[in-house]
Amino acid sequence: MGVISIIKNFLNTPKRKHVLAFSVENKAPKLKKSLKGFCTSWWVERHDSVIIFLGLIHAVADALETISGWKDRDSATQANQLLYSITQPEFIITLLTIAKSFSFSLPLCNLLQQQNIGLGAAMHHAEIVEDLIRSLRNNTVNEFNNIFCEAQTLCIELQIDIIMPRQAKRQMYRTNPQTTSPEEYFRIVVFVQFVDHFLSQICDRLSSHKTLLTNFMCLLPSGSTTERSKPTAQQCDQIKELVNIYKAGIDQHFASRSR
């Protein structure tokens, strides 16, 4: 994601935009003419930026290669470094893995942009996404094989060899699988690591919102009038939890009214 953002900013000058537009016309004439940036807090833009970059990667590589031949040393050096970054097999496989995962969460992100979406409906759709990502994780071998085959095709087109990086005997900061298969290596190092992180983030955020939603249900108890007049101990605990969550806002509200 960082490389995509840097390339977007690097190519965002009139002269470089012209080079990219020319490359897009030659390499991907049916696609958009420019890359899309993204806001750190607006996830829909992250989805779009990844998909657009993946579609324009041939044109981006061509534009960077052109700029790397300029007499402007600073531009040429930076373009060459960025070209090197996106023509690594790990970058290609990571990009395809992100695109695959984001294809599941994009509908949810679009839904969450609606002003009238309720928490219950949002949680329902989030649970669907969680199930899809969990299915992706449970079928790691088959799912990654599809991604790896796509990566092989893309790497052939970009003249990239899919080879494993040189492995150290002791690795402290990342997974160091003992394998000679590039597919197995990238499945363990890239695919499994990313999907596990993606799933854990969804579960963590979903769990906290589930608790909040459950607490709110105590304000709408079911049953007869007699039963409703006597909240259960669990409902009392849920009300206390809601008060703790919104205490600052409640105190500020009453303070402003007292003035």
Side-chain angles (χ1 to χ4, degrees):
M1 298 299 295
V3 171
I4 292 175
S5 179
I6 292 172
I7 290 177
K8 168 65 174 64
N9 294 332
F10 176 75
L11 295 174
N12 195 32
T13 65
K15 188 176 180 180
R16 295 169 187 169
K17 279 184 177 179
H18 177 75
V19 174
L20 177 61
F22 182 78
S23 295
V24 171
E25 194 64 38
N26 290 330
K27 300 292 184 178
K30 295 182 180 180
L31 299 179
K32 293 187 177 182
K33 304 300 181 184
S34 62
L35 301 173
K36 184 173 183 177
F38 55 85
C39 173
T40 56
S41 61
W42 195 8
W43 274 89
V44 172
E45 287 193 354
R46 288 176 178 260
H47 289 73
D48 292 344
S49 65
V50 169
I51 299 304
I52 292 173
F53 188 90
L54 182 58
L56 294 179
I57 191 168
H58 296 83
V60 170
D62 183 68
L64 291 175
E65 186 174 4
T66 299
I67 297 172
S68 66
W70 285 2
K71 293 182 179 180
D72 180 352
R73 180 170 296 182
D74 290 340
S75 295
T77 300
Q78 191 171 357
N80 189 59
Q81 292 172 343
L82 293 173
L83 179 61
Y84 176 81
S85 296
I86 67 172
T87 52
Q88 297 302 304
E90 186 165 355
F91 178 86
I92 299 296
I93 293 172
T94 301
L95 184 64
L96 291 170
T97 298
I98 293 174
K100 177 71 174 182
S101 302
F102 277 9
S103 68
F104 294 133
S105 58
L106 178 58
L108 176 62
C109 285
N110 285 324
L111 184 72
L112 294 177
Q113 302 303 314
Q114 300 177 12
Q115 293 183 358
N116 61 344
I117 181 67
L119 183 58
M123 290 300 96
H124 171 69
H125 286 85
E127 287 174 346
I128 293 175
V129 173
E130 180 187 356
D131 290 341
L132 290 171
I133 299 297
R134 199 175 297 280
S135 177
L136 184 70
R137 179 63 177 89
N138 292 336
N139 296 281
T140 296
V141 174
N142 292 331
E143 293 289 353
F144 183 72
N145 178 256
N146 295 330
I147 291 176
F148 191 76
C149 290
E150 188 176 354
Q152 285 180 313
T153 301
L154 189 54
C155 285
I156 290 173
E157 294 171 352
L158 293 171
Q159 299 181 347
I160 303 171
D161 294 326
I162 298 185
I163 57 176
M164 296 166 45
R166 187 173 63 87
Q167 294 177 272
K169 292 183 178 180
R170 292 185 178 181
Q171 183 64 262
M172 298 178 58
Y173 302 106
R174 64 181 301 169
T175 306
N176 190 29
Q178 300 302 309
T179 178
T180 58
S181 167
E183 181 176 350
E184 184 179 7
Y185 173 83
F186 287 114
R187 183 176 69 241
I188 296 172
V189 172
V190 176
F191 184 80
V192 171
Q193 297 289 327
F194 179 82
V195 174
D196 280 349
H197 176 72
F198 196 65
L199 183 60
S200 69
Q201 290 295 307
I202 291 178
C203 291
D204 289 346
R205 300 185 184 203
L206 186 59
S207 176
S208 63
H209 284 86
K210 276 183 178 178
T211 301
L212 182 62
L213 182 60
T214 301
N215 289 339
F216 268 113
M217 294 307 293
C218 72
L219 301 178
L220 301 170
S222 59
S224 65
T225 304
T226 303
E227 291 173 335
R228 288 199 299 269
S229 64
K230 298 179 180 179
T232 65
Q234 182 183 15
Q235 289 171 341
C236 291
D237 291 339
Q238 291 170 342
I239 291 175
K240 291 177 182 178
E241 184 63 29
L242 287 175
V243 171
N244 290 333
I245 293 173
Y246 296 103
K247 187 177 186 304
I250 294 173
D251 292 344
Q252 184 178 4
H253 171 73
F254 284 106
S256 63
R257 293 191 64 179
S258 64
R259 290 196 294 267

